[in-house]
Amino acid sequence: MIEDHKEGSNLFAYYICTGYMGQTAYLWIGESEFEAIRNAQKALFSISELEEKYNLIISAYADLEKEIHSTNIEYVLQGDALFDQNHFSARERLNLKIMSLLTSIRLFQDRAPSWLSAISDESKEAFCVKRSEIFDQNIDYQFIEKFRNYAQHYQTPIDDIRYKGEWINERETLRYTVKIQSLKEKLSRAKKIFSASFLKKIDDDIDLLKLIRSYISHLSVLIKFSRAGLSEHYLNSTQVFQSYINEYKASFGNPIGLKGCKYSVAEQINVEEINISERLLHYIETARSIRDVTPQLKRIEISI
């Protein structure tokens, strides 16, 4: 009986069980163990949020690169006719990809401190300090942060697309490139975002893809720093989850729907339930394994 496992006068019992196919086998634990599960779940959820939103950025960035490559292929096949017939269609598609990327960046940057503070104040502070350091030291990073506000409050990102074909390697290779640009004159109208002093630091020929690649490179440095700082929390929380998953498997079998429960003997109900998800562990492990893209993005080139 659950009542037989109440702790002193607190009238609470703590156990682990599953909600799978009506399974009711209980693995009894103490209050301190339940607290450890609660803390582990909070840390793992916050880490998964951080990783998921970063992966949204990387996916949106990959979609932009694919669209650039697709537009490049169109130019190879159609030449100048692309500008005459499909120029505005290409601009729409590329604007859509950039807006998706900028929205993903906004979500990550706005919410990351809250997720980290749920783990520890030190984690949040370290992230914010590192982010400020990267911002202060990199003009490209500053530009995209400002450009994100500009694109969401003033107008769509791309003002012009330039197509270029040139012979290289002593005319052995014909290189085709597509450059997406924003005009400095238009940016200057958004004075609350782009001050005259800031725009003086930016090249007159604003290559958006080059700036975005640089930004993603610096963001990769930030996430790599965050992962290193969270490693101890991640490992400890993973061990807590995995130990109870393994123990339940050994005692009762299938752990699908496993949860830790705090049961009120007086009310005869669970007053708190915490999921102990093996699937969450698999997701975080996969998400954290994404490669360090920092060195590649600064000099990426797609040739046909």
Side-chain angles (χ1 to χ4, degrees):
M1 296 291 292
I2 289 179
E3 287 80 355
D4 294 336
H5 291 82
K6 63 185 180 182
E7 292 199 349
S9 59
N10 291 328
L11 299 181
F12 291 115
Y14 302 89
Y15 62 91
I16 293 172
C17 72
T18 73
Y20 178 68
M21 298 294 288
Q23 189 170 335
T24 56
Y26 298 147
L27 178 65
W28 300 102
I29 59 175
E31 182 177 5
S32 61
E33 294 171 299
F34 183 81
E35 288 290 337
I37 293 172
R38 179 194 287 135
N39 292 334
Q41 196 268 353
K42 184 169 66 172
L44 289 170
F45 176 78
S46 296
I47 291 170
S48 72
E49 286 289 312
L50 191 74
E51 293 292 344
E52 181 184 48
K53 301 312 180 286
Y54 174 67
N55 284 350
L56 286 178
I57 293 174
I58 296 302
S59 295
Y61 164 71
D63 284 344
L64 172 60
E65 289 283 7
K66 291 173 186 175
E67 194 62 52
I68 287 286
H69 192 52
S70 176
T71 303
N72 218 350
I73 292 291
E74 288 181 0
Y75 179 49
V76 169
L77 299 177
Q78 300 179 32
D80 292 338
L82 175 63
F83 182 84
D84 295 330
Q85 299 173 11
N86 301 324
H87 174 74
F88 289 102
S89 174
R91 193 173 75 172
E92 279 185 6
R93 296 196 308 269
L94 288 165
N95 267 324
L96 178 61
K97 300 302 182 184
I98 293 178
M99 289 302 297
S100 176
L101 174 61
L102 295 175
T103 300
S104 299
I105 288 172
R106 177 65 182 268
L107 178 60
F108 176 86
Q109 296 287 17
D110 284 357
R111 296 294 299 149
S114 295
W115 298 323
L116 291 166
S117 67
I119 299 173
S120 71
D121 291 337
E122 293 78 10
S123 298
K124 174 185 175 181
E125 182 179 358
F127 175 89
C128 292
V129 169
K130 185 64 174 180
R131 183 171 63 177
S132 296
E133 176 188 309
I134 292 173
F135 181 90
D136 293 341
Q137 294 177 358
N138 298 279
I139 191 70
D140 294 350
Y141 191 94
Q142 293 174 35
F143 177 88
I144 295 299
E145 285 289 302
K146 292 176 179 293
F147 191 70
R148 184 189 68 197
N149 288 332
Y150 171 82
Q152 291 177 330
H153 296 288
Y154 283 83
Q155 68 177 54
T156 49
I158 299 173
D159 292 320
D160 191 24
I161 303 177
R162 293 186 183 179
Y163 307 94
K164 183 179 180 181
E166 60 178 339
W167 288 102
I168 60 173
N169 301 330
E170 297 181 353
R171 298 183 67 82
E172 289 184 359
T173 304
L174 185 57
R175 174 190 289 164
Y176 288 88
T177 57
V178 175
K179 181 180 287 187
I180 51 177
Q181 294 183 294
S182 187
L183 300 178
K184 211 171 190 180
E185 185 272 331
K186 288 191 176 181
L187 296 180
S188 67
R189 299 174 190 172
K191 299 184 185 300
K192 291 183 179 180
I193 297 176
F194 288 107
S195 65
S197 60
F198 179 81
L199 288 177
K200 286 181 180 179
K201 304 175 186 177
I202 303 298
D203 293 338
D204 290 335
D205 187 13
I206 299 176
D207 186 336
L208 286 178
L209 187 57
K210 180 181 177 182
L211 290 164
I212 287 170
R213 286 170 173 168
S214 178
Y215 180 89
I216 296 295
S217 296
H218 296 308
L219 191 65
S220 176
V221 172
L222 180 60
I223 196 69
K224 187 176 181 180
F225 171 83
S226 298
R227 285 171 175 168
L230 293 173
S231 288
E232 185 175 351
H233 294 284
Y234 171 62
L235 291 174
N236 291 341
S237 298
T238 298
Q239 288 172 0
V240 169
F241 264 39
Q242 199 64 62
S243 66
Y244 287 112
I245 291 169
N246 293 341
E247 187 174 353
Y248 197 90
K249 277 183 181 179
S251 300
F252 305 110
N254 198 330
I256 292 178
L258 195 65
K259 57 187 177 181
C261 301
K262 178 179 181 180
Y263 179 84
S264 170
V265 176
E267 299 177 51
Q268 297 187 3
I269 58 171
N270 288 333
V271 293
E272 186 176 356
E273 296 182 351
I274 301 171
N275 291 329
I276 307 174
S277 173
E278 195 168 26
R279 183 168 53 185
L280 178 62
L281 298 183
H282 293 326
Y283 170 76
I284 297 175
E285 182 180 0
T286 301
R288 285 171 65 89
S289 68
I290 188 170
R291 68 182 296 181
D292 176 13
V293 296
T294 306
Q296 290 80 16
L297 289 184
K298 288 186 177 180
R299 54 180 181 273
I300 188 172
E301 179 176 317
I302 299 175
S303 299
I304 298 174

